Amino acid sequence: MSSATTPPKLVLEEFIATALSATPHALHPYFEAFQTLHTRKLWHQLTQKLKAFFDEEESRPYRVDVFERFVRDFEARINQLRLVEMGVKVSKEIDNPQVHLAFLSSLLERINKEKSQEAHVLLLATIAHTKLMYGDLEGTKTDMDAAWKILDTLEAVDKGVNAAYYGVAADYYKARAEYAPYYKHSLLYLACVDTEAEMTPEERLGRAHDLGISAFLGETIYNFGELLMHPILGALNGTPHEWIKKLLFTFNEGSIGKFEALAPLFPQEPILQENYAFLRQKICLMALIESVFKRNADNRTMTFQTIAEETRLPVDEVEHLVMKALSLKLIRGSIDQVDEKAQITWVQPRVLSREQIGMLAQRLGEWVGKLNAVEQRIAPEVLGTA
């Protein structure tokens, strides 16, 4: 039955009798409960029982029919977000692309956009994802933008709604090979889901792999700290992709030596091999950032020779590297071309690894020690003049 048509009026006893004769015995208690709860108009309890029914693996062949013939009769009386969640799950049983989209689009028309904004966003994001699966990138982007326009105005949004939006946004940018937006939206998606409970091992591995590749190739991504601290990277352990995790830590450390040691593995990921020149420049920039970060604020005037040694570049390429770092807003400062020096006044804020936090704590301890020394030196003078 097409989802765009109006379903026939529900005759409860007839629907239940047909369902009991057509479904496995294990599902019968659900239909008996449906009849009781519908008759008593206990809509919240009926919603919970329907959710449990749709979660049953044995219900899969009957989900669309139950939703279209039964749920649609009272859908306006139940929580609209829970209704859409059920509708999204049911829609996955529809194989025909046109019927699949028609089912979701019809449900969208029946959701009050003003009164049920979260439900509307969830459905828009689902429709966008469905269009993406069927290759309609333009339609995907249109629905994504419409969903974000509403989502951006909401507060205390259901995690499932956020996950639906960030999930489709990440997949869209992956399809377009836009690495930095994929990286951003993929991390936001992971913040909305329980990776252990809601993702299969294969999905976790795929997500960790894709995040690693996007971190390497994203033109504006020079801080991997947030990804390095995320448990999703554990999915790479013990797999042929484990070296990607090592390479992520290598970039975060700005270690050119380790980068060169791992470079022979790049042919395993042809896209990394194809972008070797970009990756080489990126590790040099990361080495420069790390070198500046390790220095005290009063010791950040560096000669081109020092930078060349830190980045393993010829001295005549250092000025271009520093200018690149300045243009990317990774650092602030100035270049003295005559004396071949760079004065760095600021480094881009970054999510620190545990090792980097330990280094920062050590420097703070040294700073406190200096303050105490100054206090002990001037205290007698201050007391003597009091």
Side-chain angles (χ1 to χ4, degrees), residues 104-310:
L104 293 170
S105 299
S106 173
L107 181 55
L108 183 67
E109 292 172 4
R110 306 196 304 269
I111 298 295
N112 187 306
K113 179 179 176 181
E114 302 304 322
K115 294 181 180 178
S116 307
Q117 291 180 304
E118 285 184 285
H120 190 81
V121 169
L122 175 57
L123 203 42
L124 272 175
T126 303
I127 291 172
H129 204 274
T130 304
K131 290 179 178 178
L132 183 63
M133 285 194 306
Y134 298 139
D136 181 6
L137 290 176
E138 185 177 345
T140 298
K141 187 64 165 65
T142 299
D143 290 335
M144 271 173 52
D145 290 345
W148 176 250
K149 189 175 181 181
I150 300 170
L151 187 61
D152 193 35
T153 66
L154 302 180
E155 297 179 2
V157 179
D158 184 275
K159 289 181 73 173
V161 176
N162 276 327
Y165 173 77
Y166 291 123
V168 68
D171 289 348
Y172 170 79
Y173 290 118
K174 177 183 175 181
R176 291 180 56 85
E178 295 184 25
Y179 301 108
Y182 169 80
Y183 182 84
K184 171 188 172 182
H185 288 89
S186 196
L187 284 174
L188 287 168
Y189 167 75
L190 290 177
C192 302
V193 299
D194 181 337
T195 56
E196 292 296 320
E198 299 176 50
M199 298 175 71
T200 65
E202 293 76 18
E203 288 172 337
R204 291 196 294 273
L205 176 59
R207 183 72 61 170
H209 170 274
D210 293 345
L211 273 166
I213 299 300
S214 64
F216 300 138
L217 299 179
E219 293 186 2
T220 58
I221 303 172
Y222 286 86
N223 179 11
F224 299 168
E226 189 174 357
L227 175 57
L228 295 181
M229 291 189 291
H230 200 290
I232 194 72
L233 281 188
L236 297 172
N237 295 340
T239 74
H241 302 297
E242 188 170 5
W243 66 273
I244 291 177
K245 181 177 178 180
K246 294 177 181 176
L247 188 59
L248 284 166
F249 279 94
T250 295
F251 267 90
N252 198 60
E253 296 167 10
S255 174
I256 295 177
K258 292 181 181 179
F259 172 84
E260 292 174 343
L262 289 168
L265 297 173
F266 286 10
Q268 295 182 24
E269 294 287 343
I271 197 164
L272 296 184
Q273 187 66 25
E274 292 166 14
N275 288 276
Y276 181 83
F278 170 76
L279 294 173
R280 177 74 196 195
Q281 182 188 64
K282 189 166 191 170
I283 191 66
C284 288
L285 286 165
M286 300 288 268
L288 173 61
I289 295 169
E290 188 64 18
S291 177
V292 174
F293 175 77
K294 289 177 180 177
R295 293 170 176 265
N296 293 325
D298 59 356
N299 184 31
R300 288 184 173 176
T301 297
M302 304 169 68
T303 65
F304 284 10
Q305 182 62 43
T306 300
I307 295 173
E309 292 170 1
E310 294 278 0

Side-chain angles (χ1 to χ4, degrees), residues 19-40:
L20 290 174
S21 64
T23 58
H25 188 268
L27 297 178
H28 290 182
Y30 286 104
F31 289 100
E32 291 163 358
F34 293 165
Q35 183 171 21
T36 300
L37 295 170
H38 187 283
T39 302
R40 298 174 62 187

